[in-house]
């Protein structure tokens, strides 16, 4: 991989593992479930496409909905007595950040320019920061620059967010490895010249040593 000078990482499902069933189960215990879908069915699959929560998450990711508004909207669907904190905790159960990922990113920064490009909302970003700080490695120390959708008001796979990263950093796309777990995002990155590498969701621990054996 020495031909690359830059690495762009996705966050959810890549740097951070996603525990979707745990979050969905936590919401279900608060009375928030898609109509006609059982808890068992939710635990086996991902987020149902027709669940309103999906639309709310997208609104958060693109910056159209602030954290407090999200909590109020979700809380209105919950069981009586549900607290704001319970809503946030259920939402954040999806985020699982292994310390080894942060350690590897720090090693990569010694040889490469390392960037983060993530579709993420304010609540999940704050949780990511909290977990990283608790592990003793601030997430900001792992990247040269952070490109977060809720701040930029753009989301992948919009080519504009990729062009913004390239224009802002001055990197050469052909010298840039882009790692993501979603095919649509990889294809959008390739359209602007990035070298896309798709991995399976939550597989970075086994995949990164294959990509960079010299420093793992």
């Amino acid at each position: 991989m020495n031909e690359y000078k830059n690495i762009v990482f996705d966050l959810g499902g890549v740097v951070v593992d996603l525990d979707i069933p745990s979050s969905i189960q936590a919401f279900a215990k608060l009375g928030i479930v898609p109509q006609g879908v059982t808890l068992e069915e939710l635990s086996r699959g991902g987020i149902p496409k027709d669940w309103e929560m999906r639309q709310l998450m997208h609104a958060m990711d693109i910056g159209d909905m602030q954290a407090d508004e999200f909590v109020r909207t979700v809380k209105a669907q919950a069981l009586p007595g549900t607290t704001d904190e319970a809503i946030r905790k259920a939402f954040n159960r999806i985020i699982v950040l292994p310390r080894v990922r942060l350690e590897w990113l720090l090693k990569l920064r010694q040889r490469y320019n390392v960037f983060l490009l993530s579709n993420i909302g304010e609540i999940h970003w704050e949780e990511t920061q909290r977990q990283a700080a608790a592990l003793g490695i601030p997430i900001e120390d792992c990247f040269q620059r952070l490109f977060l959708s809720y701040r930029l008001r753009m989301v992948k796979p919009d080519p504009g967010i990729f062009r913004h990263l390239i224009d802002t950093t001055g990197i050469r796309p052909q010298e840039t490895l882009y790692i993501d777990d979603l095919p649509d995002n990889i294809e959008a990155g390739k359209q602007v010249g990035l070298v896309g590498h798709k991995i399976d969701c939550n597989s970075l621990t086994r995949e990164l040593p294959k990509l960079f054996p010299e420093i793992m």
Side-chain angles (χ1 to χ4, degrees):
M1 289 297 172
N2 290 332
E3 67 268 29
Y4 300 116
K5 296 181 180 179
N6 319 295
I7 312 171
V8 177
F9 283 96
D10 177 38
L11 185 70
V14 180
V15 173
V16 166
D17 282 345
L18 298 180
D19 188 351
I20 294 173
S22 181
S23 182
I24 289 177
Q25 288 181 50
F27 274 125
K29 291 176 181 178
L30 300 177
I32 303 168
V33 295
Q35 187 174 2
V37 181
T38 67
L39 179 57
E40 181 183 355
E41 290 169 330
L42 287 171
S43 299
R44 289 199 304 265
I47 301 175
K49 292 182 179 180
D50 58 347
W51 193 13
E52 183 188 0
M53 186 69 67
R54 239 184 131 91
Q55 285 71 48
L56 296 178
M57 290 175 67
H58 177 75
M60 284 273 290
D61 289 350
I62 204 167
D64 287 345
M65 177 176 281
Q66 302 303 308
D68 290 346
E69 182 183 358
F70 173 84
V71 171
R72 286 195 305 271
T73 302
V74 175
K75 187 177 177 180
Q77 306 172 33
L79 295 171
T82 299
T83 65
D84 291 1
E85 183 62 19
I87 296 295
R88 286 176 176 266
K89 284 185 176 180
F91 194 45
N92 284 333
R93 287 286 293 273
I94 197 172
I95 302 293
V96 180
L97 177 57
R99 191 178 196 278
V100 67
R101 307 275 174 80
L102 303 177
E103 294 172 347
W104 286 354
L105 290 169
L106 292 177
K107 289 181 181 179
L108 288 171
R109 280 203 64 182
Q110 296 175 15
R111 293 197 180 191
Y112 303 91
N113 300 311
V114 182
F115 305 98
L116 180 68
L117 178 62
S118 175
N119 286 356
I120 195 167
E122 180 183 359
I123 293 176
H124 280 163
W125 178 243
E126 290 178 351
E127 175 63 12
T128 301
Q129 290 178 304
R130 186 195 69 78
Q131 289 190 26
L135 294 169
I137 305 176
I139 190 71
E140 291 83 358
D141 290 353
C142 299
F143 302 96
Q144 265 89 347
R145 292 286 297 272
L146 305 168
F147 294 88
L148 309 179
S149 63
Y150 83 96
R151 294 179 181 173
L152 298 174
R153 299 186 65 80
M154 294 184 284
V155 294
K156 299 177 288 183
D158 180 353
I161 196 169
F162 293 94
R163 286 193 287 265
H164 175 76
L165 182 149
I166 292 167
D167 293 343
T168 301
T169 61
I171 61 175
R172 300 181 65 186
Q174 64 270 29
E175 298 175 344
T176 305
L177 181 66
Y178 167 48
I179 301 174
D180 203 307
D181 64 320
L182 295 181
D184 288 349
N185 294 344
I186 289 292
E187 288 306 311
K190 288 180 178 179
Q191 288 177 17
V192 298
L194 300 176
V195 182
H197 182 84
K198 182 192 174 300
I199 66 172
D200 292 336
C201 183
N202 297 352
S203 70
L204 191 67
T205 295
R206 70 172 181 267
E207 293 297 330
L208 202 58
K210 298 177 186 177
L211 291 171
F212 302 99
E214 73 277 13
I215 63 172
M216 294 296 116

